[in-house]
Short mmCIF file of all heavy atoms in Angstrom, two decimals:
data_model
loop_
_atom_site.label_atom_id
_atom_site.label_comp_id
_atom_site.label_asym_id
_atom_site.label_seq_id
_atom_site.Cartn_x
_atom_site.Cartn_y
_atom_site.Cartn_z
N ASP Y 26 47.33 50.03 131.43
CA ASP Y 26 46.08 49.79 132.13
C ASP Y 26 45.24 51.04 131.89
O ASP Y 26 45.42 52.06 132.39
CB ASP Y 26 46.40 49.66 133.66
CG ASP Y 26 45.14 49.52 134.52
OD1 ASP Y 26 44.03 49.48 133.93
OD2 ASP Y 26 45.26 49.48 135.72
N PRO Y 27 44.10 50.79 131.12
CA PRO Y 27 43.21 51.98 130.80
C PRO Y 27 42.66 52.56 132.07
O PRO Y 27 42.18 53.66 131.97
CB PRO Y 27 42.19 51.31 129.87
CG PRO Y 27 42.77 50.04 129.33
CD PRO Y 27 43.78 49.60 130.43
N ALA Y 28 42.52 51.84 133.11
CA ALA Y 28 41.93 52.37 134.36
C ALA Y 28 42.91 53.24 135.15
O ALA Y 28 42.58 53.81 136.18
CB ALA Y 28 41.39 51.25 135.20
N ALA Y 29 44.18 53.23 134.75
CA ALA Y 29 45.23 53.97 135.50
C ALA Y 29 44.97 55.50 135.46
O ALA Y 29 44.36 55.92 134.44
CB ALA Y 29 46.65 53.66 134.88
N PRO Y 30 45.42 56.23 136.47
CA PRO Y 30 45.10 57.72 136.44
C PRO Y 30 45.85 58.34 135.28
O PRO Y 30 46.95 57.90 134.86
CB PRO Y 30 45.67 58.18 137.82
CG PRO Y 30 46.42 57.06 138.30
CD PRO Y 30 46.07 55.80 137.68
N ASP Y 31 45.29 59.30 134.74
CA ASP Y 31 45.88 60.13 133.63
C ASP Y 31 46.80 61.18 134.14
O ASP Y 31 46.52 62.42 134.05
CB ASP Y 31 44.78 60.65 132.77
CG ASP Y 31 45.26 61.35 131.48
OD1 ASP Y 31 46.53 61.34 131.20
OD2 ASP Y 31 44.42 61.92 130.74
N ASP Y 32 47.95 60.72 134.74
CA ASP Y 32 48.89 61.72 135.27
C ASP Y 32 50.28 61.61 134.67
O ASP Y 32 51.29 61.89 135.26
CB ASP Y 32 48.95 61.52 136.82
CG ASP Y 32 49.42 60.10 137.17
OD1 ASP Y 32 49.62 59.23 136.34
OD2 ASP Y 32 49.65 59.87 138.39
N TYR Y 33 50.34 61.19 133.41
CA TYR Y 33 51.58 60.93 132.72
C TYR Y 33 52.42 62.27 132.60
O TYR Y 33 53.64 62.11 132.82
CB TYR Y 33 51.35 60.38 131.28
CG TYR Y 33 50.54 59.09 131.40
CD1 TYR Y 33 49.34 59.04 130.80
CD2 TYR Y 33 50.97 57.98 132.10
CE1 TYR Y 33 48.52 57.90 130.80
CE2 TYR Y 33 50.19 56.87 132.22
CZ TYR Y 33 48.92 56.81 131.55
OH TYR Y 33 48.15 55.71 131.61
N PRO Y 34 51.87 63.39 132.30
CA PRO Y 34 52.71 64.63 132.26
C PRO Y 34 53.45 64.85 133.56
O PRO Y 34 54.60 65.18 133.56
CB PRO Y 34 51.71 65.72 131.97
CG PRO Y 34 50.60 65.05 131.21
CD PRO Y 34 50.50 63.69 131.88
N GLN Y 35 52.78 64.60 134.70
CA GLN Y 35 53.45 64.84 135.99
C GLN Y 35 54.49 63.80 136.19
O GLN Y 35 55.58 64.03 136.71
CB GLN Y 35 52.37 64.79 137.09
CG GLN Y 35 51.41 65.90 137.09
CD GLN Y 35 50.22 65.70 136.11
OE1 GLN Y 35 50.11 64.62 135.51
NE2 GLN Y 35 49.38 66.75 135.99
N ARG Y 36 54.25 62.54 135.86
CA ARG Y 36 55.17 61.44 136.04
C ARG Y 36 56.41 61.57 135.19
O ARG Y 36 57.44 61.10 135.54
CB ARG Y 36 54.60 60.10 135.67
CG ARG Y 36 53.52 59.61 136.58
CD ARG Y 36 53.12 58.23 136.18
NE ARG Y 36 51.89 57.82 136.76
CZ ARG Y 36 51.38 56.55 136.67
NH1 ARG Y 36 52.09 55.59 136.05
NH2 ARG Y 36 50.28 56.27 137.18
N LEU Y 37 56.34 62.31 134.12
CA LEU Y 37 57.49 62.49 133.18
C LEU Y 37 58.13 63.87 133.20
O LEU Y 37 59.12 64.08 132.53
CB LEU Y 37 56.95 62.25 131.67
CG LEU Y 37 56.35 60.85 131.46
CD1 LEU Y 37 55.71 60.79 130.17
CD2 LEU Y 37 57.44 59.80 131.69
N SER Y 38 57.58 64.75 133.98
CA SER Y 38 58.09 66.16 133.96
C SER Y 38 59.56 66.30 134.42
O SER Y 38 60.19 67.22 133.98
CB SER Y 38 57.26 67.07 134.87
OG SER Y 38 57.36 66.60 136.26
N HIS Y 39 60.07 65.31 135.09
CA HIS Y 39 61.53 65.38 135.53
C HIS Y 39 62.50 64.98 134.44
O HIS Y 39 63.67 65.14 134.55
CB HIS Y 39 61.67 64.46 136.72
CG HIS Y 39 61.58 63.00 136.39
ND1 HIS Y 39 60.33 62.43 136.23
CD2 HIS Y 39 62.49 62.10 136.20
CE1 HIS Y 39 60.51 61.10 135.94
NE2 HIS Y 39 61.84 60.86 135.93
N ILE Y 40 61.96 64.48 133.27
CA ILE Y 40 62.89 64.00 132.22
C ILE Y 40 63.14 65.12 131.27
O ILE Y 40 62.26 65.53 130.45
CB ILE Y 40 62.31 62.74 131.48
CG1 ILE Y 40 62.01 61.65 132.51
CG2 ILE Y 40 63.21 62.35 130.37
CD1 ILE Y 40 61.27 60.43 131.89
N SER Y 41 64.35 65.71 131.31
CA SER Y 41 64.64 66.94 130.57
C SER Y 41 64.73 66.76 129.06
O SER Y 41 64.60 67.65 128.31
CB SER Y 41 65.91 67.53 131.11
OG SER Y 41 67.02 66.62 130.85
N ALA Y 42 64.92 65.52 128.59
CA ALA Y 42 64.97 65.23 127.13
C ALA Y 42 63.58 65.37 126.48
O ALA Y 42 63.55 65.42 125.23
CB ALA Y 42 65.54 63.81 126.87
N ILE Y 43 62.59 65.45 127.27
CA ILE Y 43 61.21 65.62 126.70
C ILE Y 43 61.03 67.19 126.56
O ILE Y 43 60.87 67.87 127.49
CB ILE Y 43 60.11 65.04 127.64
CG1 ILE Y 43 60.34 63.60 127.82
CG2 ILE Y 43 58.77 65.33 127.09
CD1 ILE Y 43 59.41 62.94 128.80
N GLU Y 44 60.95 67.63 125.33
CA GLU Y 44 60.81 69.03 124.97
C GLU Y 44 59.35 69.44 125.08
O GLU Y 44 59.02 70.65 125.42
CB GLU Y 44 61.34 69.30 123.56
CG GLU Y 44 61.41 70.78 123.26
CD GLU Y 44 62.09 71.03 121.92
OE1 GLU Y 44 63.22 70.57 121.76
OE2 GLU Y 44 61.48 71.66 121.06
N ALA Y 45 58.43 68.58 124.65
CA ALA Y 45 57.03 68.93 124.64
C ALA Y 45 56.17 67.66 124.90
O ALA Y 45 56.60 66.57 124.60
CB ALA Y 45 56.58 69.55 123.35
N CYS Y 46 55.05 67.87 125.58
CA CYS Y 46 54.14 66.85 125.89
C CYS Y 46 52.66 67.29 125.43
O CYS Y 46 52.23 68.24 125.91
CB CYS Y 46 54.13 66.44 127.36
SG CYS Y 46 52.90 65.22 127.85
N TYR Y 47 52.11 66.53 124.43
CA TYR Y 47 50.85 66.88 123.84
C TYR Y 47 49.83 65.83 124.18
O TYR Y 47 49.99 64.63 123.98
CB TYR Y 47 50.96 66.98 122.27
CG TYR Y 47 52.05 67.84 121.74
CD1 TYR Y 47 53.25 67.39 121.36
CD2 TYR Y 47 51.80 69.27 121.68
CE1 TYR Y 47 54.29 68.15 120.87
CE2 TYR Y 47 52.85 70.05 121.19
CZ TYR Y 47 54.01 69.52 120.76
OH TYR Y 47 55.03 70.33 120.31
N SER Y 48 48.70 66.30 124.79
CA SER Y 48 47.53 65.42 124.98
C SER Y 48 46.80 65.35 123.67
O SER Y 48 46.52 66.33 123.05
CB SER Y 48 46.57 66.05 126.05
OG SER Y 48 45.45 65.27 126.15
N VAL Y 49 46.50 64.11 123.19
CA VAL Y 49 45.99 63.93 121.87
C VAL Y 49 44.74 63.01 121.84
O VAL Y 49 44.58 62.23 122.82
CB VAL Y 49 47.02 63.33 120.88
CG1 VAL Y 49 48.20 64.27 120.72
CG2 VAL Y 49 47.52 61.92 121.39
N ALA Y 50 43.90 63.15 120.81
CA ALA Y 50 42.81 62.20 120.59
C ALA Y 50 43.31 61.06 119.76
O ALA Y 50 44.20 61.20 118.94
CB ALA Y 50 41.67 62.97 119.91
N GLY Y 51 42.70 59.93 119.97
CA GLY Y 51 43.13 58.79 119.15
C GLY Y 51 43.50 57.64 120.03
O GLY Y 51 43.18 57.59 121.22
N ASP Y 52 44.22 56.71 119.40
CA ASP Y 52 44.67 55.51 120.23
C ASP Y 52 45.62 55.83 121.32
O ASP Y 52 45.64 55.25 122.39
CB ASP Y 52 45.29 54.46 119.30
CG ASP Y 52 44.32 53.83 118.34
OD1 ASP Y 52 43.10 53.87 118.59
OD2 ASP Y 52 44.73 53.43 117.24
N GLU Y 53 46.49 56.81 121.09
CA GLU Y 53 47.46 57.21 122.10
C GLU Y 53 46.87 58.27 123.01
O GLU Y 53 45.91 58.99 122.60
CB GLU Y 53 48.72 57.83 121.45
CG GLU Y 53 49.55 56.78 120.70
CD GLU Y 53 49.20 56.76 119.21
OE1 GLU Y 53 48.42 57.51 118.74
OE2 GLU Y 53 49.68 55.85 118.50
N SER Y 54 47.42 58.37 124.21
CA SER Y 54 46.94 59.41 125.16
C SER Y 54 47.80 60.69 124.97
O SER Y 54 47.28 61.79 125.11
CB SER Y 54 47.09 58.91 126.59
OG SER Y 54 46.27 57.83 126.79
N TYR Y 55 49.06 60.52 124.78
CA TYR Y 55 49.99 61.63 124.68
C TYR Y 55 51.05 61.34 123.62
O TYR Y 55 51.31 60.22 123.38
CB TYR Y 55 50.72 61.92 126.02
CG TYR Y 55 49.82 62.38 127.10
CD1 TYR Y 55 49.16 61.48 127.95
CD2 TYR Y 55 49.59 63.75 127.27
CE1 TYR Y 55 48.28 61.96 128.96
CE2 TYR Y 55 48.71 64.13 128.35
CZ TYR Y 55 48.09 63.26 129.10
OH TYR Y 55 47.25 63.65 130.10
N ILE Y 56 51.57 62.40 123.03
CA ILE Y 56 52.76 62.32 122.16
C ILE Y 56 53.77 63.28 122.74
O ILE Y 56 53.54 64.44 123.00
CB ILE Y 56 52.38 62.67 120.76
CG1 ILE Y 56 51.35 61.73 120.18
CG2 ILE Y 56 53.62 62.72 119.82
CD1 ILE Y 56 50.92 61.99 118.77
N LEU Y 57 54.96 62.76 122.87
CA LEU Y 57 56.09 63.51 123.38
C LEU Y 57 57.04 63.90 122.23
O LEU Y 57 57.26 63.06 121.34
CB LEU Y 57 56.93 62.67 124.36
CG LEU Y 57 56.16 62.00 125.46
CD1 LEU Y 57 57.13 61.10 126.30
CD2 LEU Y 57 55.48 63.03 126.36
N LEU Y 58 57.62 65.11 122.31
CA LEU Y 58 58.62 65.55 121.42
C LEU Y 58 59.96 65.45 122.24
O LEU Y 58 60.04 66.08 123.27
CB LEU Y 58 58.42 66.91 120.88
CG LEU Y 58 59.55 67.64 120.13
CD1 LEU Y 58 59.92 66.85 118.90
CD2 LEU Y 58 59.21 69.03 119.83
N VAL Y 59 60.87 64.61 121.74
CA VAL Y 59 62.08 64.37 122.50
C VAL Y 59 63.36 64.66 121.63
O VAL Y 59 63.28 64.54 120.44
CB VAL Y 59 62.18 62.91 123.07
CG1 VAL Y 59 60.92 62.66 123.97
CG2 VAL Y 59 62.27 61.89 121.97
N ARG Y 60 64.31 65.08 122.29
CA ARG Y 60 65.75 65.29 121.50
C ARG Y 60 66.80 64.63 122.42
O ARG Y 60 66.89 64.87 123.59
CB ARG Y 60 65.93 66.76 121.45
CG ARG Y 60 64.82 67.43 120.59
CD ARG Y 60 65.21 68.83 120.19
NE ARG Y 60 64.12 69.60 119.72
CZ ARG Y 60 63.73 69.72 118.44
NH1 ARG Y 60 64.41 69.05 117.49
NH2 ARG Y 60 62.73 70.47 118.10
N VAL Y 61 67.62 63.84 121.77
CA VAL Y 61 68.69 63.06 122.40
C VAL Y 61 69.92 63.10 121.59
O VAL Y 61 69.93 63.44 120.38
CB VAL Y 61 68.24 61.64 122.78
CG1 VAL Y 61 67.13 61.62 123.77
CG2 VAL Y 61 67.81 60.86 121.47
N ALA Y 62 70.97 62.64 122.11
CA ALA Y 62 72.26 62.64 121.49
C ALA Y 62 72.50 61.49 120.46
O ALA Y 62 73.22 61.62 119.54
CB ALA Y 62 73.46 62.62 122.52
N SER Y 63 71.81 60.35 120.69
CA SER Y 63 72.15 59.15 119.85
C SER Y 63 71.01 58.16 119.95
O SER Y 63 70.15 58.22 120.87
CB SER Y 63 73.37 58.54 120.48
OG SER Y 63 73.18 58.05 121.76
N PRO Y 64 71.07 57.16 119.08
CA PRO Y 64 70.13 56.04 119.27
C PRO Y 64 70.17 55.42 120.60
O PRO Y 64 69.08 54.97 121.22
CB PRO Y 64 70.49 55.07 118.13
CG PRO Y 64 71.15 55.96 117.08
CD PRO Y 64 71.88 56.98 117.89
N ALA Y 65 71.32 55.24 121.23
CA ALA Y 65 71.43 54.68 122.51
C ALA Y 65 70.75 55.59 123.60
O ALA Y 65 70.14 55.10 124.50
CB ALA Y 65 72.93 54.48 122.92
N GLY Y 66 70.91 56.88 123.41
CA GLY Y 66 70.22 57.88 124.28
C GLY Y 66 68.74 57.72 124.11
O GLY Y 66 68.00 57.83 125.10
N LEU Y 67 68.30 57.50 122.88
CA LEU Y 67 66.81 57.35 122.68
C LEU Y 67 66.31 56.03 123.40
O LEU Y 67 65.22 55.98 124.05
CB LEU Y 67 66.40 57.27 121.26
CG LEU Y 67 64.97 57.10 120.89
CD1 LEU Y 67 64.05 58.20 121.52
CD2 LEU Y 67 64.78 57.00 119.35
N GLU Y 68 67.08 55.01 123.24
CA GLU Y 68 66.72 53.73 123.88
C GLU Y 68 66.72 53.88 125.47
O GLU Y 68 65.70 53.44 126.04
CB GLU Y 68 67.78 52.67 123.55
CG GLU Y 68 67.45 51.31 123.98
CD GLU Y 68 68.35 50.22 123.44
OE1 GLU Y 68 69.63 50.55 123.23
OE2 GLU Y 68 67.95 49.06 123.25
N ASP Y 69 67.61 54.57 125.99
CA ASP Y 69 67.59 54.87 127.45
C ASP Y 69 66.41 55.73 127.86
O ASP Y 69 65.74 55.41 128.86
CB ASP Y 69 68.89 55.56 127.86
CG ASP Y 69 69.02 55.74 129.36
OD1 ASP Y 69 68.82 54.74 130.13
OD2 ASP Y 69 69.19 56.91 129.81
N LEU Y 70 66.12 56.73 127.04
CA LEU Y 70 65.02 57.59 127.33
C LEU Y 70 63.65 56.80 127.31
O LEU Y 70 62.87 56.93 128.21
CB LEU Y 70 64.92 58.76 126.28
CG LEU Y 70 63.70 59.65 126.41
CD1 LEU Y 70 63.64 60.36 127.68
CD2 LEU Y 70 63.69 60.61 125.25
N LEU Y 71 63.52 55.93 126.30
CA LEU Y 71 62.27 55.12 126.22
C LEU Y 71 62.12 54.24 127.46
O LEU Y 71 61.05 54.05 127.97
CB LEU Y 71 62.27 54.25 124.92
CG LEU Y 71 62.17 55.11 123.61
CD1 LEU Y 71 62.40 54.17 122.46
CD2 LEU Y 71 60.88 55.83 123.54
N ARG Y 72 63.25 53.70 127.90
CA ARG Y 72 63.18 52.92 129.14
C ARG Y 72 62.72 53.77 130.35
O ARG Y 72 61.83 53.29 131.08
CB ARG Y 72 64.52 52.25 129.42
CG ARG Y 72 64.63 51.40 130.68
CD ARG Y 72 66.04 51.06 131.13
NE ARG Y 72 66.92 52.22 131.24
CZ ARG Y 72 66.88 53.08 132.21
NH1 ARG Y 72 65.95 53.01 133.16
NH2 ARG Y 72 67.71 54.12 132.23
N GLN Y 73 63.23 54.96 130.47
CA GLN Y 73 62.90 55.84 131.48
C GLN Y 73 61.38 56.24 131.41
O GLN Y 73 60.72 56.22 132.42
CB GLN Y 73 63.70 57.17 131.48
CG GLN Y 73 65.14 57.05 131.82
CD GLN Y 73 65.75 58.39 131.65
OE1 GLN Y 73 65.31 59.43 132.22
NE2 GLN Y 73 66.87 58.51 130.86
#
């Protein structure tokens, strides 16, 4: 929802697998750098 508040960094700060959160220009609002143990771990992280 483009009208939603831009508070994604705060909403995601509790997820320790996110190493960095970058606010970016372009189609996306943010890009996250994440590190996980496995593809299944990545799938779970994306759900979170």
Side-chain angles (χ1 to χ4, degrees):
D26 176 6
D31 184 3
D32 60 354
Y33 307 119
Q35 295 82 5
R36 290 187 198 189
L37 300 171
S38 64
H39 69 282
I40 302 174
S41 62
I43 300 172
E44 185 173 308
C46 176
Y47 305 100
S48 176
V49 297
D52 292 335
E53 293 91 8
S54 297
Y55 292 89
I56 296 177
L57 310 175
L58 169 61
V59 303
R60 299 190 196 269
V61 293
S63 65
L67 180 58
E68 187 173 30
D69 183 54
L70 174 65
L71 293 172
R72 181 192 50 74
Q73 290 177 53

